[in-house]
Amino acid sequence: LKLARFCSPRPQRRRVLPALACAPVRHNKERAARMGYSYDTKQGRLVTALSLTFTVVPKVLRSGEFWFFLILHLAVFSSYHLGYLGDTITSEKHGLALNWSFVKVVTAMTTFFEVFYSNQCYSRYIGLYKSTRGMMDDAHSYAALLRTHVGEKSRCHARLAVRYMAAAIMIQFSEMKDSCPERTISELGRLDLLKPEEAQGMRELRPRHRGAVLMGWSSLAAATGCKEASAPNNMPGLLSQAIFKIRNQQQDILDTMALPVPFHYYHLLSVMIIMNLTLWAYSMGLTDSVFAPLVFLSAAVIFIGMMELSSELADPFGSDEVDFPVDFWLTECLELIAEVSESDFPGGPEGLALAAKREVALPRVVHDLALMRHVQGDRSWSNDEGFTEQDRISTRGSEPPVSARGSEPPLSARDSTPLLA
């Protein structure tokens, strides 16, 4: 785990969960860099095609199989042009001649199998992304429920439940990265997410059971906190459902990683690619065109590059360019959980009561909302009633047009109850 680079205690504000008080990200560019490579689709196809950064081309050029087939093709191409293979080798009656129609059959089959394999790997990639991000979103919801219904009267139980849940999430990601179980427990102890006696209890369990046990501890602490805080009767059930949902998503990630594309399919696809590249190297080498090496080079990079990319998408918990930024996601998740669990309303309960007394009815008509304005030149958007953006700007500070109000009563005759109520 690399969370230690991003986490640091905040001396200016006392935290009961010091490991969750992580250093914030101060710039959007830094956030974008940690979320993955950002590219501009408006820079043109040529500029994008010529860029090699964060692509599979360098990996293809470093692979031995690419150079093996390229050298084979160049050897056939050079021997044919130097006359070592004779002039009649391209004739259909020659024993070493290869009809291009035969190559098309293998190429079509290989293309279909490789596209299907790439599609499966990408679907697996999207599924793992949704489960990973959904698990973190559910963790935020779990912390918010605890803070709202338990935190005011039993803050210690809410903090304990959140700490166990955060430790379970970190153990989950350590399993995804195949980290050493003992090192993971030591790291959790260093971050104060596990006390010494709790860490000792974790070491006595099987590595695959530790996350589930921590989730059980979190659920038990949440149920006890609900009892101490006299929470609504349905609150323990809601918290248990949130815990079970997080645990189910963790198990979905483990099951998906344990079920890759069958090796029989991968082996057959590899054999087809090797056969296809061999036939290409030979058939393209027996041509008179000087562009044959360039065509073979491009085709080999595409075929081998697709396999490399698919293999990276199949396992996104690593250090490749397309892998998930797990360390940054963990930092962001734990920081938000800490803020939700420890933040108080300005002024405390008295400040909340005072703010509620001062609250007035929400505005029924927004005359000029700059964030939602989409005006290009003289064109302006309009709603279903024909009330355009220009009408809103022109009527700023006055009543909206009749077409927008319909049969609504005047503002003075309306109920002053807020819109949300």
Side-chain angles (χ1 to χ4, degrees), residues 161-195:
V162 170
R163 181 167 65 84
Y164 288 150
M165 183 264 298
I169 292 178
M170 291 191 63
I171 287 181
Q172 168 77 10
F173 284 111
S174 68
E175 293 180 1
M176 294 296 97
K177 290 193 171 185
D178 296 330
S179 300
C180 178
E182 180 61 30
R183 185 173 56 186
T184 301
I185 297 299
S186 302
E187 185 70 9
L188 291 175
R190 189 189 67 82
L191 295 175
D192 203 21
L193 289 178
L194 286 180
K195 304 302 180 182

PDB file of all heavy atoms in Angstrom, residues 161-195:
ATOM      1  N   ALA A 161     -17.236   2.019  14.275  1.00  0.00           N
ATOM      2  CA  ALA A 161     -17.807   1.331  13.116  1.00  0.00           C
ATOM      3  C   ALA A 161     -17.158   1.807  11.815  1.00  0.00           C
ATOM      4  O   ALA A 161     -16.861   0.997  10.925  1.00  0.00           O
ATOM      5  CB  ALA A 161     -19.313   1.554  13.070  1.00  0.00           C
ATOM      6  N   VAL A 162     -16.919   3.109  11.706  1.00  0.00           N
ATOM      7  CA  VAL A 162     -16.288   3.642  10.499  1.00  0.00           C
ATOM      8  C   VAL A 162     -14.850   3.163  10.390  1.00  0.00           C
ATOM      9  O   VAL A 162     -14.364   2.834   9.299  1.00  0.00           O
ATOM     10  CB  VAL A 162     -16.371   5.182  10.503  1.00  0.00           C
ATOM     11  CG1 VAL A 162     -15.524   5.772   9.391  1.00  0.00           C
ATOM     12  CG2 VAL A 162     -17.816   5.637  10.345  1.00  0.00           C
ATOM     13  N   ARG A 163     -14.139   3.095  11.500  1.00  0.00           N
ATOM     14  CA  ARG A 163     -12.738   2.660  11.466  1.00  0.00           C
ATOM     15  C   ARG A 163     -12.630   1.209  11.009  1.00  0.00           C
ATOM     16  O   ARG A 163     -11.763   0.869  10.199  1.00  0.00           O
ATOM     17  CB  ARG A 163     -12.116   2.833  12.858  1.00  0.00           C
ATOM     18  CG  ARG A 163     -10.646   2.427  12.927  1.00  0.00           C
ATOM     19  CD  ARG A 163     -10.006   2.915  14.199  1.00  0.00           C
ATOM     20  NE  ARG A 163     -10.582   2.287  15.378  1.00  0.00           N
ATOM     21  CZ  ARG A 163     -10.204   1.091  15.859  1.00  0.00           C
ATOM     22  NH1 ARG A 163      -9.264   0.396  15.227  1.00  0.00           N
ATOM     23  NH2 ARG A 163     -10.762   0.597  16.951  1.00  0.00           N
ATOM     24  N   TYR A 164     -13.496   0.343  11.516  1.00  0.00           N
ATOM     25  CA  TYR A 164     -13.477  -1.053  11.083  1.00  0.00           C
ATOM     26  C   TYR A 164     -13.822  -1.174   9.598  1.00  0.00           C
ATOM     27  O   TYR A 164     -13.231  -1.981   8.867  1.00  0.00           O
ATOM     28  CB  TYR A 164     -14.447  -1.877  11.920  1.00  0.00           C
ATOM     29  CG  TYR A 164     -13.990  -2.126  13.331  1.00  0.00           C
ATOM     30  CD1 TYR A 164     -14.917  -2.286  14.366  1.00  0.00           C
ATOM     31  CD2 TYR A 164     -12.638  -2.205  13.657  1.00  0.00           C
ATOM     32  CE1 TYR A 164     -14.502  -2.520  15.672  1.00  0.00           C
ATOM     33  CE2 TYR A 164     -12.218  -2.437  14.950  1.00  0.00           C
ATOM     34  CZ  TYR A 164     -13.161  -2.594  15.960  1.00  0.00           C
ATOM     35  OH  TYR A 164     -12.743  -2.826  17.251  1.00  0.00           O
ATOM     36  N   MET A 165     -14.785  -0.378   9.160  1.00  0.00           N
ATOM     37  CA  MET A 165     -15.166  -0.427   7.755  1.00  0.00           C
ATOM     38  C   MET A 165     -14.024   0.049   6.854  1.00  0.00           C
ATOM     39  O   MET A 165     -13.749  -0.536   5.806  1.00  0.00           O
ATOM     40  CB  MET A 165     -16.420   0.414   7.538  1.00  0.00           C
ATOM     41  CG  MET A 165     -16.974   0.392   6.126  1.00  0.00           C
ATOM     42  SD  MET A 165     -16.401   1.794   5.167  1.00  0.00           S
ATOM     43  CE  MET A 165     -17.096   3.136   6.113  1.00  0.00           C
ATOM     44  N   ALA A 166     -13.314   1.120   7.255  1.00  0.00           N
ATOM     45  CA  ALA A 166     -12.178   1.606   6.473  1.00  0.00           C
ATOM     46  C   ALA A 166     -11.058   0.571   6.431  1.00  0.00           C
ATOM     47  O   ALA A 166     -10.420   0.369   5.387  1.00  0.00           O
ATOM     48  CB  ALA A 166     -11.668   2.920   7.069  1.00  0.00           C
ATOM     49  N   ALA A 167     -10.803  -0.112   7.547  1.00  0.00           N
ATOM     50  CA  ALA A 167      -9.776  -1.157   7.565  1.00  0.00           C
ATOM     51  C   ALA A 167     -10.157  -2.304   6.639  1.00  0.00           C
ATOM     52  O   ALA A 167      -9.292  -2.873   5.940  1.00  0.00           O
ATOM     53  CB  ALA A 167      -9.573  -1.661   8.990  1.00  0.00           C
ATOM     54  N   ALA A 168     -11.431  -2.664   6.598  1.00  0.00           N
ATOM     55  CA  ALA A 168     -11.873  -3.741   5.711  1.00  0.00           C
ATOM     56  C   ALA A 168     -11.685  -3.365   4.244  1.00  0.00           C
ATOM     57  O   ALA A 168     -11.299  -4.210   3.419  1.00  0.00           O
ATOM     58  CB  ALA A 168     -13.337  -4.068   5.993  1.00  0.00           C
ATOM     59  N   ILE A 169     -11.925  -2.111   3.888  1.00  0.00           N
ATOM     60  CA  ILE A 169     -11.736  -1.674   2.503  1.00  0.00           C
ATOM     61  C   ILE A 169     -10.267  -1.719   2.124  1.00  0.00           C
ATOM     62  O   ILE A 169      -9.901  -2.149   1.018  1.00  0.00           O
ATOM     63  CB  ILE A 169     -12.327  -0.271   2.311  1.00  0.00           C
ATOM     64  CG1 ILE A 169     -13.858  -0.308   2.422  1.00  0.00           C
ATOM     65  CG2 ILE A 169     -11.916   0.319   0.978  1.00  0.00           C
ATOM     66  CD1 ILE A 169     -14.514   1.037   2.293  1.00  0.00           C
ATOM     67  N   MET A 170      -9.387  -1.305   3.032  1.00  0.00           N
ATOM     68  CA  MET A 170      -7.963  -1.335   2.727  1.00  0.00           C
ATOM     69  C   MET A 170      -7.461  -2.765   2.590  1.00  0.00           C
ATOM     70  O   MET A 170      -6.606  -3.056   1.737  1.00  0.00           O
ATOM     71  CB  MET A 170      -7.193  -0.586   3.808  1.00  0.00           C
ATOM     72  CG  MET A 170      -7.422   0.913   3.811  1.00  0.00           C
ATOM     73  SD  MET A 170      -6.271   1.795   4.876  1.00  0.00           S
ATOM     74  CE  MET A 170      -4.712   1.414   4.084  1.00  0.00           C
ATOM     75  N   ILE A 171      -7.955  -3.675   3.411  1.00  0.00           N
ATOM     76  CA  ILE A 171      -7.578  -5.082   3.268  1.00  0.00           C
ATOM     77  C   ILE A 171      -8.059  -5.624   1.925  1.00  0.00           C
ATOM     78  O   ILE A 171      -7.368  -6.422   1.271  1.00  0.00           O
ATOM     79  CB  ILE A 171      -8.152  -5.904   4.443  1.00  0.00           C
ATOM     80  CG1 ILE A 171      -7.375  -5.598   5.720  1.00  0.00           C
ATOM     81  CG2 ILE A 171      -8.121  -7.391   4.138  1.00  0.00           C
ATOM     82  CD1 ILE A 171      -7.842  -6.381   6.922  1.00  0.00           C
ATOM     83  N   GLN A 172      -9.244  -5.179   1.487  1.00  0.00           N
ATOM     84  CA  GLN A 172      -9.762  -5.608   0.191  1.00  0.00           C
ATOM     85  C   GLN A 172      -8.802  -5.231  -0.929  1.00  0.00           C
ATOM     86  O   GLN A 172      -8.468  -6.052  -1.791  1.00  0.00           O
ATOM     87  CB  GLN A 172     -11.123  -4.971  -0.045  1.00  0.00           C
ATOM     88  CG  GLN A 172     -11.657  -5.081  -1.461  1.00  0.00           C
ATOM     89  CD  GLN A 172     -12.219  -6.447  -1.776  1.00  0.00           C
ATOM     90  OE1 GLN A 172     -12.373  -7.256  -0.872  1.00  0.00           O
ATOM     91  NE2 GLN A 172     -12.511  -6.699  -3.041  1.00  0.00           N
ATOM     92  N   PHE A 173      -8.317  -3.989  -0.947  1.00  0.00           N
ATOM     93  CA  PHE A 173      -7.430  -3.557  -2.019  1.00  0.00           C
ATOM     94  C   PHE A 173      -6.050  -4.189  -1.903  1.00  0.00           C
ATOM     95  O   PHE A 173      -5.370  -4.372  -2.916  1.00  0.00           O
ATOM     96  CB  PHE A 173      -7.318  -2.033  -2.020  1.00  0.00           C
ATOM     97  CG  PHE A 173      -8.534  -1.356  -2.584  1.00  0.00           C
ATOM     98  CD1 PHE A 173      -9.376  -0.635  -1.779  1.00  0.00           C
ATOM     99  CD2 PHE A 173      -8.838  -1.462  -3.926  1.00  0.00           C
ATOM    100  CE1 PHE A 173     -10.502  -0.012  -2.298  1.00  0.00           C
ATOM    101  CE2 PHE A 173      -9.957  -0.851  -4.458  1.00  0.00           C
ATOM    102  CZ  PHE A 173     -10.788  -0.115  -3.640  1.00  0.00           C
ATOM    103  N   SER A 174      -5.623  -4.485  -0.702  1.00  0.00           N
ATOM    104  CA  SER A 174      -4.343  -5.180  -0.563  1.00  0.00           C
ATOM    105  C   SER A 174      -4.420  -6.578  -1.167  1.00  0.00           C
ATOM    106  O   SER A 174      -3.446  -7.068  -1.751  1.00  0.00           O
ATOM    107  CB  SER A 174      -3.944  -5.254   0.908  1.00  0.00           C
ATOM    108  OG  SER A 174      -4.816  -6.113   1.633  1.00  0.00           O
ATOM    109  N   GLU A 175      -5.580  -7.236  -1.049  1.00  0.00           N
ATOM    110  CA  GLU A 175      -5.762  -8.528  -1.699  1.00  0.00           C
ATOM    111  C   GLU A 175      -5.765  -8.382  -3.212  1.00  0.00           C
ATOM    112  O   GLU A 175      -5.258  -9.258  -3.931  1.00  0.00           O
ATOM    113  CB  GLU A 175      -7.066  -9.165  -1.225  1.00  0.00           C
ATOM    114  CG  GLU A 175      -7.069  -9.571   0.243  1.00  0.00           C
ATOM    115  CD  GLU A 175      -8.395 -10.195   0.653  1.00  0.00           C
ATOM    116  OE1 GLU A 175      -9.287 -10.308  -0.226  1.00  0.00           O
ATOM    117  OE2 GLU A 175      -8.537 -10.569   1.830  1.00  0.00           O
ATOM    118  N   MET A 176      -6.322  -7.284  -3.728  1.00  0.00           N
ATOM    119  CA  MET A 176      -6.323  -7.077  -5.166  1.00  0.00           C
ATOM    120  C   MET A 176      -4.909  -6.907  -5.714  1.00  0.00           C
ATOM    121  O   MET A 176      -4.614  -7.322  -6.832  1.00  0.00           O
ATOM    122  CB  MET A 176      -7.149  -5.827  -5.522  1.00  0.00           C
ATOM    123  CG  MET A 176      -8.635  -5.951  -5.230  1.00  0.00           C
ATOM    124  SD  MET A 176      -9.459  -7.213  -6.217  1.00  0.00           S
ATOM    125  CE  MET A 176      -9.466  -8.583  -5.069  1.00  0.00           C
ATOM    126  N   LYS A 177      -4.037  -6.307  -4.932  1.00  0.00           N
ATOM    127  CA  LYS A 177      -2.665  -6.079  -5.370  1.00  0.00           C
ATOM    128  C   LYS A 177      -1.712  -7.189  -4.936  1.00  0.00           C
ATOM    129  O   LYS A 177      -0.500  -7.067  -5.094  1.00  0.00           O
ATOM    130  CB  LYS A 177      -2.155  -4.741  -4.820  1.00  0.00           C
ATOM    131  CG  LYS A 177      -2.832  -3.536  -5.465  1.00  0.00           C
ATOM    132  CD  LYS A 177      -2.093  -2.267  -5.138  1.00  0.00           C
ATOM    133  CE  LYS A 177      -2.627  -1.094  -5.935  1.00  0.00           C
ATOM    134  NZ  LYS A 177      -1.843   0.131  -5.729  1.00  0.00           N
ATOM    135  N   ASP A 178      -2.259  -8.265  -4.363  1.00  0.00           N
ATOM    136  CA  ASP A 178      -1.454  -9.417  -3.936  1.00  0.00           C
ATOM    137  C   ASP A 178      -0.357  -9.001  -2.962  1.00  0.00           C
ATOM    138  O   ASP A 178       0.789  -9.453  -3.043  1.00  0.00           O
ATOM    139  CB  ASP A 178      -0.830 -10.113  -5.156  1.00  0.00           C
ATOM    140  CG  ASP A 178      -1.885 -10.710  -6.063  1.00  0.00           C
ATOM    141  OD1 ASP A 178      -2.949 -11.104  -5.548  1.00  0.00           O
ATOM    142  OD2 ASP A 178      -1.646 -10.777  -7.278  1.00  0.00           O
ATOM    143  N   SER A 179      -0.690  -8.110  -2.042  1.00  0.00           N
ATOM    144  CA  SER A 179       0.281  -7.686  -1.044  1.00  0.00           C
ATOM    145  C   SER A 179       0.443  -8.761   0.026  1.00  0.00           C
ATOM    146  O   SER A 179      -0.402  -9.639   0.201  1.00  0.00           O
ATOM    147  CB  SER A 179      -0.160  -6.369  -0.389  1.00  0.00           C
ATOM    148  OG  SER A 179      -0.282  -5.352  -1.358  1.00  0.00           O
ATOM    149  N   CYS A 180       1.544  -8.679   0.724  1.00  0.00           N
ATOM    150  CA  CYS A 180       1.818  -9.635   1.802  1.00  0.00           C
ATOM    151  C   CYS A 180       0.817  -9.396   2.932  1.00  0.00           C
ATOM    152  O   CYS A 180       0.663  -8.260   3.405  1.00  0.00           O
ATOM    153  CB  CYS A 180       3.248  -9.466   2.306  1.00  0.00           C
ATOM    154  SG  CYS A 180       3.676 -10.547   3.686  1.00  0.00           S
ATOM    155  N   PRO A 181       0.112 -10.435   3.398  1.00  0.00           N
ATOM    156  CA  PRO A 181      -0.886 -10.235   4.466  1.00  0.00           C
ATOM    157  C   PRO A 181      -0.281  -9.658   5.744  1.00  0.00           C
ATOM    158  O   PRO A 181      -0.889  -8.781   6.374  1.00  0.00           O
ATOM    159  CB  PRO A 181      -1.449 -11.645   4.690  1.00  0.00           C
ATOM    160  CG  PRO A 181      -1.191 -12.367   3.409  1.00  0.00           C
ATOM    161  CD  PRO A 181       0.106 -11.814   2.894  1.00  0.00           C
ATOM    162  N   GLU A 182       0.896 -10.114   6.117  1.00  0.00           N
ATOM    163  CA  GLU A 182       1.513  -9.600   7.337  1.00  0.00           C
ATOM    164  C   GLU A 182       1.876  -8.130   7.195  1.00  0.00           C
ATOM    165  O   GLU A 182       1.704  -7.334   8.117  1.00  0.00           O
ATOM    166  CB  GLU A 182       2.759 -10.426   7.647  1.00  0.00           C
ATOM    167  CG  GLU A 182       3.500  -9.985   8.903  1.00  0.00           C
ATOM    168  CD  GLU A 182       2.638 -10.098  10.154  1.00  0.00           C
ATOM    169  OE1 GLU A 182       1.762 -10.994  10.189  1.00  0.00           O
ATOM    170  OE2 GLU A 182       2.819  -9.292  11.082  1.00  0.00           O
ATOM    171  N   ARG A 183       2.357  -7.750   6.015  1.00  0.00           N
ATOM    172  CA  ARG A 183       2.699  -6.349   5.800  1.00  0.00           C
ATOM    173  C   ARG A 183       1.454  -5.474   5.805  1.00  0.00           C
ATOM    174  O   ARG A 183       1.490  -4.314   6.254  1.00  0.00           O
ATOM    175  CB  ARG A 183       3.444  -6.209   4.474  1.00  0.00           C
ATOM    176  CG  ARG A 183       3.956  -4.806   4.183  1.00  0.00           C
ATOM    177  CD  ARG A 183       4.829  -4.805   2.950  1.00  0.00           C
ATOM    178  NE  ARG A 183       4.128  -5.349   1.803  1.00  0.00           N
ATOM    179  CZ  ARG A 183       4.703  -5.560   0.621  1.00  0.00           C
ATOM    180  NH1 ARG A 183       5.996  -5.310   0.463  1.00  0.00           N
ATOM    181  NH2 ARG A 183       3.996  -6.038  -0.392  1.00  0.00           N
ATOM    182  N   THR A 184       0.339  -6.017   5.304  1.00  0.00           N
ATOM    183  CA  THR A 184      -0.911  -5.262   5.310  1.00  0.00           C
ATOM    184  C   THR A 184      -1.382  -4.999   6.737  1.00  0.00           C
ATOM    185  O   THR A 184      -1.799  -3.879   7.074  1.00  0.00           O
ATOM    186  CB  THR A 184      -1.985  -6.038   4.541  1.00  0.00           C
ATOM    187  OG1 THR A 184      -1.545  -6.249   3.201  1.00  0.00           O
ATOM    188  CG2 THR A 184      -3.288  -5.264   4.529  1.00  0.00           C
ATOM    189  N   ILE A 185      -1.309  -6.016   7.603  1.00  0.00           N
ATOM    190  CA  ILE A 185      -1.713  -5.832   8.992  1.00  0.00           C
ATOM    191  C   ILE A 185      -0.814  -4.812   9.684  1.00  0.00           C
ATOM    192  O   ILE A 185      -1.286  -3.951  10.449  1.00  0.00           O
ATOM    193  CB  ILE A 185      -1.677  -7.181   9.736  1.00  0.00           C
ATOM    194  CG1 ILE A 185      -2.699  -8.151   9.124  1.00  0.00           C
ATOM    195  CG2 ILE A 185      -1.975  -6.988  11.208  1.00  0.00           C
ATOM    196  CD1 ILE A 185      -4.121  -7.688   9.198  1.00  0.00           C
ATOM    197  N   SER A 186       0.480  -4.874   9.413  1.00  0.00           N
ATOM    198  CA  SER A 186       1.403  -3.900  10.012  1.00  0.00           C
ATOM    199  C   SER A 186       1.107  -2.487   9.538  1.00  0.00           C
ATOM    200  O   SER A 186       1.178  -1.530  10.313  1.00  0.00           O
ATOM    201  CB  SER A 186       2.849  -4.282   9.680  1.00  0.00           C
ATOM    202  OG  SER A 186       3.147  -5.582  10.150  1.00  0.00           O
ATOM    203  N   GLU A 187       0.772  -2.353   8.257  1.00  0.00           N
ATOM    204  CA  GLU A 187       0.455  -1.025   7.723  1.00  0.00           C
ATOM    205  C   GLU A 187      -0.825  -0.474   8.343  1.00  0.00           C
ATOM    206  O   GLU A 187      -0.908   0.715   8.659  1.00  0.00           O
ATOM    207  CB  GLU A 187       0.313  -1.110   6.199  1.00  0.00           C
ATOM    208  CG  GLU A 187       0.089   0.233   5.509  1.00  0.00           C
ATOM    209  CD  GLU A 187       1.314   1.120   5.535  1.00  0.00           C
ATOM    210  OE1 GLU A 187       2.398   0.635   5.930  1.00  0.00           O
ATOM    211  OE2 GLU A 187       1.176   2.307   5.199  1.00  0.00           O
ATOM    212  N   LEU A 188      -1.832  -1.321   8.537  1.00  0.00           N
ATOM    213  CA  LEU A 188      -3.060  -0.876   9.180  1.00  0.00           C
ATOM    214  C   LEU A 188      -2.805  -0.466  10.620  1.00  0.00           C
ATOM    215  O   LEU A 188      -3.416   0.494  11.117  1.00  0.00           O
ATOM    216  CB  LEU A 188      -4.107  -1.982   9.129  1.00  0.00           C
ATOM    217  CG  LEU A 188      -4.685  -2.317   7.745  1.00  0.00           C
ATOM    218  CD1 LEU A 188      -5.629  -3.508   7.836  1.00  0.00           C
ATOM    219  CD2 LEU A 188      -5.412  -1.121   7.162  1.00  0.00           C
ATOM    220  N   GLY A 189      -1.907  -1.180  11.312  1.00  0.00           N
ATOM    221  CA  GLY A 189      -1.554  -0.773  12.668  1.00  0.00           C
ATOM    222  C   GLY A 189      -0.801   0.539  12.694  1.00  0.00           C
ATOM    223  O   GLY A 189      -1.005   1.362  13.589  1.00  0.00           O
ATOM    224  N   ARG A 190       0.079   0.744  11.712  1.00  0.00           N
ATOM    225  CA  ARG A 190       0.821   2.004  11.663  1.00  0.00           C
ATOM    226  C   ARG A 190      -0.106   3.186  11.400  1.00  0.00           C
ATOM    227  O   ARG A 190       0.108   4.287  11.921  1.00  0.00           O
ATOM    228  CB  ARG A 190       1.890   1.927  10.573  1.00  0.00           C
ATOM    229  CG  ARG A 190       2.872   3.098  10.562  1.00  0.00           C
ATOM    230  CD  ARG A 190       3.748   3.044   9.341  1.00  0.00           C
ATOM    231  NE  ARG A 190       2.985   3.277   8.144  1.00  0.00           N
ATOM    232  CZ  ARG A 190       2.647   4.485   7.691  1.00  0.00           C
ATOM    233  NH1 ARG A 190       2.993   5.569   8.380  1.00  0.00           N
ATOM    234  NH2 ARG A 190       1.963   4.623   6.578  1.00  0.00           N
ATOM    235  N   LEU A 191      -1.137   2.977  10.577  1.00  0.00           N
ATOM    236  CA  LEU A 191      -2.107   4.033  10.282  1.00  0.00           C
ATOM    237  C   LEU A 191      -3.159   4.188  11.368  1.00  0.00           C
ATOM    238  O   LEU A 191      -4.073   4.998  11.228  1.00  0.00           O
ATOM    239  CB  LEU A 191      -2.798   3.748   8.951  1.00  0.00           C
ATOM    240  CG  LEU A 191      -1.908   3.781   7.709  1.00  0.00           C
ATOM    241  CD1 LEU A 191      -2.691   3.351   6.486  1.00  0.00           C
ATOM    242  CD2 LEU A 191      -1.317   5.162   7.509  1.00  0.00           C
ATOM    243  N   ASP A 192      -3.060   3.388  12.439  1.00  0.00           N
ATOM    244  CA  ASP A 192      -3.977   3.444  13.577  1.00  0.00           C
ATOM    245  C   ASP A 192      -5.390   3.043  13.181  1.00  0.00           C
ATOM    246  O   ASP A 192      -6.363   3.440  13.828  1.00  0.00           O
ATOM    247  CB  ASP A 192      -3.983   4.842  14.205  1.00  0.00           C
ATOM    248  CG  ASP A 192      -4.461   4.798  15.659  1.00  0.00           C
ATOM    249  OD1 ASP A 192      -4.392   3.712  16.255  1.00  0.00           O
ATOM    250  OD2 ASP A 192      -4.904   5.837  16.173  1.00  0.00           O
ATOM    251  N   LEU A 193      -5.524   2.247  12.132  1.00  0.00           N
ATOM    252  CA  LEU A 193      -6.819   1.695  11.778  1.00  0.00           C
ATOM    253  C   LEU A 193      -7.097   0.387  12.517  1.00  0.00           C
ATOM    254  O   LEU A 193      -8.240  -0.063  12.565  1.00  0.00           O
ATOM    255  CB  LEU A 193      -6.905   1.454  10.265  1.00  0.00           C
ATOM    256  CG  LEU A 193      -7.001   2.711   9.400  1.00  0.00           C
ATOM    257  CD1 LEU A 193      -7.022   2.343   7.925  1.00  0.00           C
ATOM    258  CD2 LEU A 193      -8.224   3.532   9.757  1.00  0.00           C
ATOM    259  N   LEU A 194      -6.050  -0.214  13.073  1.00  0.00           N
ATOM    260  CA  LEU A 194      -6.189  -1.408  13.897  1.00  0.00           C
ATOM    261  C   LEU A 194      -5.346  -1.234  15.149  1.00  0.00           C
ATOM    262  O   LEU A 194      -4.168  -0.860  15.065  1.00  0.00           O
ATOM    263  CB  LEU A 194      -5.739  -2.669  13.143  1.00  0.00           C
ATOM    264  CG  LEU A 194      -6.668  -3.215  12.052  1.00  0.00           C
ATOM    265  CD1 LEU A 194      -6.048  -4.460  11.419  1.00  0.00           C
ATOM    266  CD2 LEU A 194      -8.046  -3.536  12.603  1.00  0.00           C
ATOM    267  N   LYS A 195      -5.938  -1.486  16.293  1.00  0.00           N
ATOM    268  CA  LYS A 195      -5.203  -1.451  17.551  1.00  0.00           C
ATOM    269  C   LYS A 195      -4.357  -2.718  17.671  1.00  0.00           C
ATOM    270  O   LYS A 195      -4.575  -3.704  16.955  1.00  0.00           O
ATOM    271  CB  LYS A 195      -6.178  -1.332  18.724  1.00  0.00           C
ATOM    272  CG  LYS A 195      -7.102  -0.128  18.636  1.00  0.00           C
ATOM    273  CD  LYS A 195      -6.316   1.172  18.548  1.00  0.00           C
ATOM    274  CE  LYS A 195      -7.270   2.374  18.460  1.00  0.00           C
ATOM    275  NZ  LYS A 195      -6.531   3.648  18.314  1.00  0.00           N
TER     276      LYS A 195
END
